[in-house]
Amino acid sequence: YFTCAINRVGTESFPNAFTSGDGKAAHRDFGHFYGSSYVAAPDASRTPCLARDQDGLMITQLDLNLCQQVKDKWAFQMTARYDMYRDLLTRYCEPNFEPQIIKDPSL
């Protein structure tokens, strides 16, 4: 699948002060946004980033056939064990689930 990493630029300010729950004093700004938006393809290639300090608009072409090509190359579906995943997830969702914890004897 393609992933779009979007992030705005600049600093957003609000009329009323608020806290972030970190114990620091109330403030009116939301912090700095770093931009650098990009699109990543299923094969881990990506577009160049947009600027970090100015607004921008990215228009790019997506080769949707690349999704199937990567699936065919990696063959995850061929080796997936959905029945095993289903059973593990079912156990994990039980209210009395206790995880198996293996401690490293060298620690």
Side-chain angles (χ1 to χ4, degrees):
Y1 299 101
F2 286 87
T3 303
C4 299
I6 57 173
N7 197 1
R8 53 192 169 171
V9 296
T11 302
E12 187 172 354
S13 297
F14 298 95
N16 299 321
F18 61 93
T19 63
S20 298
D22 56 6
K24 295 181 181 176
H27 47 88
R28 295 187 193 288
D29 65 64
F30 199 60
H32 186 72
F33 296 99
Y34 294 101
S36 301
S37 301
Y38 64 90
V39 177
D43 63 355
S45 62
R46 55 178 264 190
T47 62
C49 295
L50 289 178
R52 294 183 65 143
D53 58 355
Q54 60 186 355
D55 289 336
L57 172 66
M58 179 179 291
I59 299 174
T60 187
Q61 292 183 340
L62 306 178
D63 179 4
L64 298 180
N65 290 321
L66 188 56
C67 295
Q68 188 61 50
Q69 291 171 10
V70 170
K71 286 179 185 179
D72 291 345
K73 182 177 180 179
W74 284 92
F76 284 130
Q77 290 179 326
M78 184 174 68
T79 60
R81 299 178 178 157
Y82 296 115
D83 54 337
M84 185 177 77
Y85 305 150
R86 180 199 61 225
D87 295 342
L88 289 171
L89 182 60
T90 301
R91 272 194 8 222
Y92 179 79
C93 292
E94 293 294 326
N96 59 347
F97 174 75
E98 291 187 31
Q100 178 185 11
I101 300 174
I102 302 172
K103 295 184 179 182
D104 186 345
S106 66
L107 296 177

